[in-house]
Amino acid sequence: MTAGSSQQNAAGVLLIIHLYLYGSYQLTELQVCHLCNGTVQNSTALGQFCSASAGLIDGCCCLLRKENTSNADYIIGLDLSNCSLSHVEDLQEASTAAMIDISLNPIVQLNNSLFQGFIQLDNLFLPVNLACPGGNASWDKVEVKGETRHCEGQKDICNQTGHLSLNCPENSLCAAYGPGFFECSCIDDFHGYKCLREGKFPIVKVFGLLGASTVLVSILLWVTQRRKVKSV
């Protein structure tokens, strides 16, 4: 075999590996972008939003790349409109999206937690028979045009100051977690059930006790097993 043919074979192998890794990346990282055939059209609201945001179109998605990183695209827009979808189960890959369109689909019902964690979502287009997630009170504006319901301007379910909220227990802060959702986190120096314990979490004490217990149990098991071996 000549050196030239060896180089060609090596180049072919590298090309195959590259295509495989690229395909695997697209499949595992951006599955939601290929739930529908075709790509985002420039004439649509999402296409115009993507262009204005200097985004990159990949299938049904508008992507942005994180600064100073490679292969770290994240979704800012998702267009699944008119895709003959009868149900939508999981859109978590698009939880960073500011605009999502699933209108003009024969969807009868959506899971209540479908948009949980979608804190950036500001424009949502739905089939007219579906209500906005979290109810109309979770949005600044709800508008129906033809067969499409437009939920615009997600409201922060917590109070405007960001301080203690009636929705959360004492000694905790409320943070929006998607339309109609919120989460509570303990303020400084509080932890435990309903943030009732004050002071920093005793990491050294807790893990010290766990470590000592593990060592003690191991020694007891070792001694017990040795006795059984001797008796045999």
Side-chain angles (χ1 to χ4, degrees), residues 6 23 45 49 51 64 86 92 96 109 134 158 160 162 181 221 231:
S6 297
F49 164 74
S51 178
L64 276 186
S86 59
Q92 280 303 309
T96 54
Q109 187 176 5
C158 303
Q160 298 299 316
F181 292 97
L221 290 173
S231 62

Side-chain angles (χ1 to χ4, degrees), residues 8-132:
Q8 289 178 349
N9 290 337
V13 171
L14 288 174
L15 178 61
I16 292 172
I17 292 174
H18 172 75
L19 291 174
Y20 173 77
L21 292 176
Y22 179 78
S24 298
Y25 167 74
Q26 292 293 324
L27 181 62
T28 56
E29 295 299 326
L30 302 172
Q31 264 188 323
V32 71
C33 297
H34 304 283
L35 291 177
C36 185
N37 295 328
T39 61
V40 176
Q41 301 299 311
N42 293 330
S43 59
T44 63
L46 200 143
Q48 294 172 7
F49 164 74
C50 190
S51 178
S53 304
L56 172 68
I57 292 177
D58 177 21
C60 305
C61 293
C62 176
L63 310 174
L64 276 186
R65 175 153 293 180
K66 295 179 181 178
E67 296 181 0
N68 303 322
T69 60
S70 60
N71 292 332
D73 300 329
Y74 64 98
I75 298 172
I76 62 170
L78 176 64
D79 188 354
L80 297 177
S81 63
N82 200 21
C83 290
S84 300
L85 299 175
S86 59
H87 63 279
V88 179
E89 295 180 353
D90 184 10
L91 296 178
Q92 280 303 309
E93 288 179 327
S95 62
T96 54
M99 180 180 290
I100 295 179
D101 189 347
I102 59 173
S103 63
L104 304 178
N105 285 298
I107 303 172
V108 177
Q109 187 176 5
L110 292 176
N111 191 305
N112 291 332
S113 61
L114 182 64
F115 295 104
Q116 186 173 4
F118 286 62
I119 58 177
Q120 305 295 332
L121 187 59
D122 243 5
N123 285 277
L124 176 62
F125 299 90
L126 300 169
V128 69
N129 60 294
L130 299 179
C132 294

